[in-house]
Amino acid sequence: MDFEITLLSNGFGAEVTGLDLSQTLSYDDFEIVRRVWFEAGVVVFRDQNLTPEHQVAFSRRFGPLIIHVLDQFQQPGQPEILLISNKKREDGTGVGFEEAGRYWHSDLSYVEKPAFGSLLYAVEIPPEGGDTMFADMRRALKTLPDETLLRITGRRGRHSYTRNFEDNEYLNSGRPAITSNQLSRIPGSTHPMVRTLTDSNDQALYVNPGFTYAIEDMDESESKALLSELFAHCTRPELIYTHKWKPRDLLCWDNRSVMHHATRFDPTHTRHMRRTTIEGDLPV
Ligand code: OGA
Ligand code: MN
């Protein structure tokens, strides 16, 4: 297929036009898409008419899919799809994870092998708001002051799904209840703070305000202060791309090299999205 690649903004992210992802891409086209994704960190495809089956089939070509621990929000009959949605069932319960990720994070960094990539497809979006922001963690690393780089080199961050939420109301609002059984499946993780993307040897800063709560083998107050400094550094406007959704957008992001942050919208409107998540390697 004939298609075009354009860069988004702030030196990362790409939009690919001219591909129909409901069709099976040729090997060559698929390899180009994979490469663009790895290089750009975020890839946008507009105007895609994707059924859940199409999305799962396209996602699977990148690797095995992860079934999210919040299994109450699966697309019925399609456990690989996590619904991010404020739609309600007749009994008033939500069909999907309503306020997913309204803070900076990298998907599943709190597990031993975090997700490599996430793909989010917009079925229905509100007329305004509900944008998703992305931060370029390769550039965040490159622009760190030398002295800060020295302090984190060789160190590991501790990640947890719950720790940062325990005493932070802002993070905690809108979090769905999690059962002790679900919690037992996500005991937390530690990962290198500087991560190497094994396919390109690029390096990225790998800590995030949602899930990273401490630095291993560092005094607690020093660790907290250093993490705050890093979080402020990597969320500066020049490192951010803000995606304004249109229906039928498919967005793919590489959790190893970008963080993301969902934003609010008027909840009287519907926002209904489908996410698939690709398994990743042990971070090195
Ligand atoms: C996610 C997520 C952001 C959004 O699906 O992982 O963080 O804007 N969603 O819905
Ligand atoms: Mn997320």
Side-chain angles (χ1 to χ4, degrees):
M1 261 184 252
D2 245 358
F3 58 97
E4 275 182 42
I5 300 160
T6 46
L7 288 179
L8 296 173
S9 65
N10 279 339
F12 77 114
E15 178 169 346
V16 175
T17 46
L19 281 184
D20 176 357
L21 302 180
S22 69
Q23 306 292 314
T24 305
L25 298 186
S26 70
Y27 176 83
D28 287 349
D29 286 353
F30 181 76
E31 283 309 312
I32 294 172
V33 167
R34 188 207 296 273
R35 233 176 312 131
V36 171
W37 186 4
F38 286 2
E39 276 171 29
V42 182
V43 185
V44 179
F45 301 90
R46 304 262 191 196
D47 282 320
Q48 300 294 321
N49 282 305
L50 301 182
T51 62
E53 291 76 15
H54 291 138
Q55 183 177 346
V56 167
F58 176 64
S59 305
R60 255 203 199 120
R61 288 187 73 177
F62 295 96
L65 303 185
I66 295 176
I67 297 184
H68 201 276
V69 67
L70 295 173
D71 40 18
Q72 67 271 39
F73 300 141
Q74 289 168 1
Q75 167 100 16
Q78 204 95 48
E80 301 89 349
I81 291 192
L82 172 72
L83 294 174
I84 310 288
S85 179
N86 63 347
K87 277 192 183 172
K88 300 283 183 284
R89 299 190 188 93
E90 263 168 29
D91 66 2
T93 58
V95 304
F97 189 171
E98 180 165 351
E99 298 194 2
R102 290 190 183 167
Y103 45 85
W104 284 107
H105 67 286
S106 172
D107 289 332
L108 300 178
S109 76
Y110 48 83
V111 303
E112 192 184 1
K113 291 185 178 173
F116 139 63
S118 304
L119 298 89
L120 193 60
Y121 179 69
V123 179
E124 211 175 325
I125 56 144
E128 57 182 342
D131 303 343
T132 309
M133 302 189 286
F134 293 89
D136 181 353
M137 300 301 274
R138 281 178 290 195
R139 200 145 143 249
L141 182 71
K142 278 204 190 100
T143 53
L144 266 189
D146 287 345
E147 181 218 344
T148 315
L149 183 61
L150 269 179
R151 291 177 70 199
I152 66 169
T153 301
R155 293 230 177 229
R156 298 175 72 84
R158 292 185 180 279
H159 300 244
S160 151
Y161 185 62
T162 48
R163 279 292 285 268
N164 285 353
F165 297 84
E166 282 161 9
D167 49 19
N168 186 324
E169 247 171 65
Y170 168 73
L171 286 179
N172 218 356
S173 70
R175 260 204 151 194
I178 183 160
T179 65
S180 50
N181 177 290
Q182 287 172 330
L183 259 184
S184 70
R185 285 182 267 153
I186 44 172
S189 59
T190 74
H191 297 302
M193 297 177 72
V194 176
R195 185 169 182 182
T196 303
L197 282 62
T198 44
D199 40 275
S200 61
N201 280 329
D202 286 353
Q203 291 194 309
L205 184 60
Y206 192 63
V207 289
N208 67 81
F211 307 134
T212 316
Y213 65 93
I215 299 173
E216 212 172 50
D217 300 325
M218 190 179 277
D219 164 78
E220 190 179 333
S221 61
E222 187 186 349
S223 153
K224 279 215 154 68
L226 183 48
L227 284 176
S228 307
E229 184 187 324
L230 292 170
F231 296 155
H233 171 82
C234 58
T235 54
R236 286 168 304 143
E238 62 268 33
L239 298 185
I240 292 172
Y241 162 68
T242 299
H243 187 71
K244 299 210 172 288
W245 290 91
K246 292 186 193 144
R248 296 183 303 286
D249 284 354
L250 178 76
L251 226 76
C252 311
W253 64 85
D254 183 341
N255 287 294
R256 303 169 306 171
S257 66
V258 301
M259 295 195 292
H260 59 286
H261 185 314
T263 60
R264 291 173 192 281
F265 58 93
D266 172 356
T268 60
H269 293 289
T270 300
R271 186 176 189 269
H272 187 79
M273 330 276 273
R274 295 190 216 122
R275 189 179 106 187
T276 37
T277 316
I278 303 164
E279 264 181 35
D281 299 326
L282 193 69
V284 288

